[in-house]
């Protein structure tokens, strides 16, 4: 048997769980570095359970692996920078640093020539009236860091509401974004190898509920040839700018213009993404397998889909096996149920969008959720 690499993953949540499960058939073993003793990925990888600033534990982790990746973008940059002195870290630290700060991220996207929502750095000296004059109303106040699944953000409709919201987040760096009137939400997921080879899934169409991803369908029913070309160009440009290795995800709004639909960047995720979970059953090579392959130096096979696929998140609670239709795949994350917590997901694959939509509606009904 060929000598295969050992992959270290910073973070041990469900993304690390699915990465480790994709690594095993490739002959790659995983270690996770994760402070939570009950992290989902502990069940399928060797667990280094220590804080992110514990240098001795980080050294031990680095000594046990050949290459290090991360499953979430809020790994402290100092931790990544320290580990990089010991073992290769992919994707690189630049992606980590930029993607964990909404201001840096939006500035980076705009500087590359892409459209984002209008935004301003909500520094203390900027009055709410001036901030709103810059981005319009309604507007969304967001913490620059550590915001995800709708956390750390608030929609405001007046200057007074913005004043109140700012007071709630005192001490946190903030940005204010103009509201984008979008027709759809989509994501772009691609993988890039060290030699620059890139593969990309077709656009994925997403729905959210209270800021949390609820469903994803691939290929996106709203997609057009023009949008796919724009997605290609966007991915190539961003990945090249980062010197990226691994899977990168870009969340976008589709906005209708007189020239047709266009992509407006919402945010980057320098990692595998919830909207790509359908690829475990829906594609010959899943996003997890692509990521493991890219960061460990294996070749990236072409994208092959098994049909139309969809994913529905299990949020807060999970159904019993007996309730799940036989043609639906279930993935559980071994997490205690809690409101707004992602505890698993369902996947369905079929030959047509109609069939998949039918299955998705059935699952939504089962979960008691409304999907549009
Ligand atoms: P985020 O945490 O930035 O991904 O935001 C979560 C969700 O809030 C997005 O998927 C959108 O549904 C919505 N959202 C965020 N920013 C905006 C915006 N500037 N305009 C309209 N909707 C937004």
């Amino acid at each position: 048997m060929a000598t295969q690499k050992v992959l270290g993953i910073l973070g041990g949540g469900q993304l690390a769980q699915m990465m480790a499960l994709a690594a095993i058939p490739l002959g790659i073993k995983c270690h996770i570095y994760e402070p939570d003793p009950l992290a989902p990925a502990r069940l399928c990888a060797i667990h280094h359970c220590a804080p992110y600033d514990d240098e001795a534990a980080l050294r031990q982790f680095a000594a046990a692996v050949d290459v290090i990746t991360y499953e979430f973008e809020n790994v402290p940059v100092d931790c990544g920078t320290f580990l990089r002195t010991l073992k290769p870290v992919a994707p690189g630290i630049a992606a980590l640093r930029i993607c964990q700060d909404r201001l840096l991220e939006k500035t980076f996207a705009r500087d590359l020539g892409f459209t984002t929502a209008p935004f301003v750095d909500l520094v203390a000296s900027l009055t709410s009236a001036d901030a709103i004059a810059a981005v319009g109303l309604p507007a969304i106040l967001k913490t620059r860091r550590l915001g995800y699944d709708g956390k750390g953000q608030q929609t405001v409709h007046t200057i007074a509401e913005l004043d109140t919201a700012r007071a709630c987040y005192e001490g946190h760096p903030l940005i204010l974004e103009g509201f984008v009137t979008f027709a759809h939400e989509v994501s772009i997921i691609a993988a890039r190898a060290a030699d620059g080879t890139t593969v990309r899934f077709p656009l994925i169409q997403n729905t959210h509920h209270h800021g949390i991803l609820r469903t994803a369908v691939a290929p996106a029913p709203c997609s057009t040839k023009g949008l796919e070309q724009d997605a290609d160009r966007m991915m190539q440009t961003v990945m090249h700018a980062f010197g990226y290795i691994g899977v990168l995800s870009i969340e976008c709004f589709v906005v209708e213009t007189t020239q047709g639909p266009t992509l407006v960047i919402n945010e980057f995720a320098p990692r595998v993404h919830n909207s790509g979970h359908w690829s475990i059953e829906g594609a010959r090579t899943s996003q997890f397998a692509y990521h493991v392959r890219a960061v460990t130096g294996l070749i990236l096979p072409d994208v092959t889909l098994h049909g139309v696929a969809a994913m529905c998140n299990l949020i807060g609670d999970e159904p019993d096996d007996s309730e799940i239709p036989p043609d639906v795949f279930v993935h559980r994350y071994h997490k205690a149920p809690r409101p707004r917590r992602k505890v698993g997901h369902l996947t369905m694959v079929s030959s047509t969008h109609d069939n998949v939509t039918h299955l998705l509606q059935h699952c939504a009904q089962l979960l008691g959720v409304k999907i549009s």
Side-chain angles (χ1 to χ4, degrees), residues 10-12 32-39 47-53 72 76:
L10 295 168
I32 54 164
Y33 191 99
E34 159 67 59
D36 179 358
L38 294 180
H47 189 179
H48 298 244
C49 187
Y52 286 114
D53 59 358
F72 74 125

Side-chain angles (χ1 to χ4, degrees), residues 94-323:
L96 188 63
R97 193 174 58 80
I98 289 174
C99 297
Q100 59 183 226
D101 182 327
R102 290 184 193 274
L103 178 67
L104 299 185
E105 180 176 65
K106 287 208 159 53
T107 306
F108 174 78
R110 193 187 55 192
D111 291 350
L112 287 175
F114 297 111
T115 310
T116 67
F119 64 96
V120 285
D121 184 4
L122 211 46
V123 288
S125 57
L126 185 67
T127 66
S128 294
D130 284 345
I132 284 172
V135 305
L137 281 174
I140 308 183
L141 168 137
K142 296 184 180 179
T143 55
R144 278 175 56 178
R145 307 173 71 86
L146 297 171
Y148 63 96
D149 288 345
K151 286 179 194 156
Q153 55 182 272
Q154 201 170 318
T155 303
V156 296
H157 301 86
T158 62
I159 294 172
E161 275 182 24
L162 179 55
D163 279 335
T164 310
R166 288 175 85 169
C168 293
Y169 289 104
E170 212 186 328
H172 296 271
L174 302 169
I175 63 165
L176 188 71
E177 279 182 29
F179 196 87
V180 177
T181 306
F182 56 82
H184 307 283
E185 291 191 79
V186 293
S187 46
I188 316 169
I189 299 183
R192 186 171 187 264
D195 66 0
T197 308
T198 304
V199 290
R200 182 176 73 77
F201 288 122
L203 280 175
I204 303 154
Q205 191 165 328
N206 305 319
T207 64
H208 293 80
H209 186 63
H210 295 310
I212 305 179
L213 183 73
R214 176 54 86 175
T215 65
V217 177
C222 72
S223 194
T224 62
K225 203 169 159 203
L227 284 177
E228 296 290 341
Q229 282 167 348
D230 290 350
D232 257 343
R233 193 174 55 89
M234 191 181 278
M235 245 324 161
Q236 293 287 354
T237 307
V238 173
M239 285 181 141
H240 180 77
F242 278 136
Y244 203 86
I245 301 174
V247 164
L248 175 71
S249 313
I250 309 179
E251 289 181 47
C252 294
F253 303 119
V254 176
V255 175
E256 297 292 352
T257 70
T258 47
Q259 279 91 51
T262 59
L263 295 176
V264 171
I265 291 182
N266 181 30
E267 63 181 355
F268 302 120
R271 54 169 168 81
V272 287
H273 193 260
N274 192 175
S275 66
H277 291 0
W278 57 268
S279 63
I280 296 177
E281 288 88 13
R284 195 184 64 183
T285 307
S286 73
Q287 62 164 348
F288 301 100
Y290 274 128
H291 187 76
V292 171
R293 284 176 164 278
V295 300
T296 59
L298 297 176
I299 58 145
L300 303 184
D302 289 342
V303 168
T304 308
L305 302 189
H306 297 316
V308 180
M311 186 280 317
C312 182
N313 269 333
L314 301 175
I315 298 170
D317 210 348
E318 22 185 343
D320 288 338
D321 274 343
S322 59
E323 296 175 277

